[in-house]
């Protein structure tokens, strides 16, 4: 399911060494009060202070937390575009995942246009199924017009459901429904229709063991793929703020990455407790498309991870391009501004409310 100037504080350059007229008493009466000895004292004091700072910084955040200090854990990233690939500008992207061998699986929305499809990364075109299954048939399944396609994920090898062993299966949810579908990835034949316990169907991801789901609220769900029952759920928070409108999801290196609807932000979330670990800011992608004349684009949506080559791909609804990106930590002055409230303005919106038509 989309200011202000920066000022550096100038350091206090006043000397902390007093203009002593007499030698320091601690060093005894034999100590000479010559200028060279004062320079030595100053140097030793500076070295001592540096060592103290290093020791303090080396103390773990958990230790600081034990003493009741507020440890800044914010991690903010911009991005570098590594590669650009074509993307179907008619695809209202709702779910995206990497399927291996430079292929993507994609779920698209809009009633009457919803689908799941297998797409070639290099060309952005829908592929054909392997000759071992169906010859020269496009790898695209058009959904019934009554459904609005949403999140999509692929569950791993030798998946056992209801006592039957399957290979890789695609799980998909639908908008404004508690209904989802399971498909054979090799020919998109429908294996099962299911109901889930989320309030709505927005995003899906998996670590190969459980399904992670979002429903447009601030809740991150964990779902048993065999029973399709919710086994855990957490409220996603950044500082003291709930983060609603969680949309498309991807599991990446032990974290859940979530598009936040109607923003150019991706939240990096701990699935253990729902805490936002960091933010990825991507406004330059949408701005670049608008500047190039792509006026019909919708919001940023769609994250895919190539685990083997550690590649990350993103796109948006009705975007003509898909991007391979690399994260870049933001510089300290910008980080300070983001920590002081700018991130809430950029990435946290009022909760969306939808009703069934």
């Amino acid at each position: 399911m989309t200011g202000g100037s920066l000022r550096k504080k100038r350091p206090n350059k006043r000397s902390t060494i007093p203009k002593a007229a007499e030698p320091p008493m601690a060093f005894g009466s034999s100590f000479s009060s010559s200028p060279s000895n004062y320079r030595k004292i100053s140097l030793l004091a500076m070295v001592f202070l540096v060592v103290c700072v290093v020791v303090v910084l080396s103390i773990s955040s958990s230790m600081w937390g034990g003493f009741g200090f507020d440890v800044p854990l914010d991690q903010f990233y911009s991005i570098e575009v590594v590669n650009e690939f074509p993307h179907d500008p008619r695809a209202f992207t709702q779910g995206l995942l990497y399927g291996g061998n430079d292929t993507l699986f994609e779920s698209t929305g809009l009633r009457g246009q919803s689908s799941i499809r297998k797409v070639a990364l290099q060309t952005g075109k829908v592929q054909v199924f392997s000759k071992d299954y169906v010859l020269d048939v496009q790898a695209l399944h058009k959904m019934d017009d009554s459904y609005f396609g949403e999140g999509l994920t692929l569950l791993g090898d030798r998946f056992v459901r209801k006592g039957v062993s399957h290979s890789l299966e695609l799980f998909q949810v639908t908008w404004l429904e508690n209904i989802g579908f399971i498909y054979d990835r090799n020919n998109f034949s429908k294996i099962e229709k299911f109901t889930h316990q989320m309030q709505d169907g927005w995003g899906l991801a998996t670590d190969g063991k459980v399904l992670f789901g979002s429903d447009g609220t601030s809740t991150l769900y964990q779902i048993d793929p065999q029973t399709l029952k919710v086994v855990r759920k957490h409220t996603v928070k950044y500082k003291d703020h709930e983060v609603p409108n969680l949309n498309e999801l991807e599991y990446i290196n032990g974290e859940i990455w979530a598009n936040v609807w109607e923003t150019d932000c991706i939240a990096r979330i701990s699935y253990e407790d729902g805490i936002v670990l960091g933010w990825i800011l991507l406004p330059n992608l949408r701005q670049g498309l608008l500047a190039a004349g792509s006026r019909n684009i919708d919001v940023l949506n769609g994250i895919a991870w190539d685990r083997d080559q550690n590649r990350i791909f993103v796109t948006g609804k009705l975007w003509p391009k898909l991007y391979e990106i690399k994260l870049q930590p933001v510089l300290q002055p910008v980080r300070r501004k983001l920590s002081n409230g700018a991130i809430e303005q950029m990435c946290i919106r009022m909760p969306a409310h939808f009703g069934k038509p």
Side-chain angles (χ1 to χ4, degrees), residues 127-163:
Q127 293 187 327
V128 297
F129 285 118
S130 166
K131 291 181 179 180
D132 295 334
Y133 295 92
V134 181
L135 181 62
D136 295 333
V137 173
Q138 277 198 322
L140 185 147
H141 167 72
K142 186 180 181 302
M143 301 177 69
D144 186 277
D145 289 353
S146 63
Y147 292 116
F148 192 116
E150 281 283 348
L152 185 74
T153 196
L154 184 65
L155 201 57
D157 291 313
R158 296 182 300 280
F159 171 66
V160 178
R161 175 165 167 74
K162 295 182 177 180

Side-chain angles (χ1 to χ4, degrees), residues 196 198 204 210-213 221-225 228-231:
H196 57 79
M198 298 187 292
L204 277 183
V210 301
L211 299 173
F212 299 97
Y221 296 85
Q222 294 186 32
I223 301 169
D224 184 331
L228 296 167
K229 304 295 185 183
V230 172
V231 292

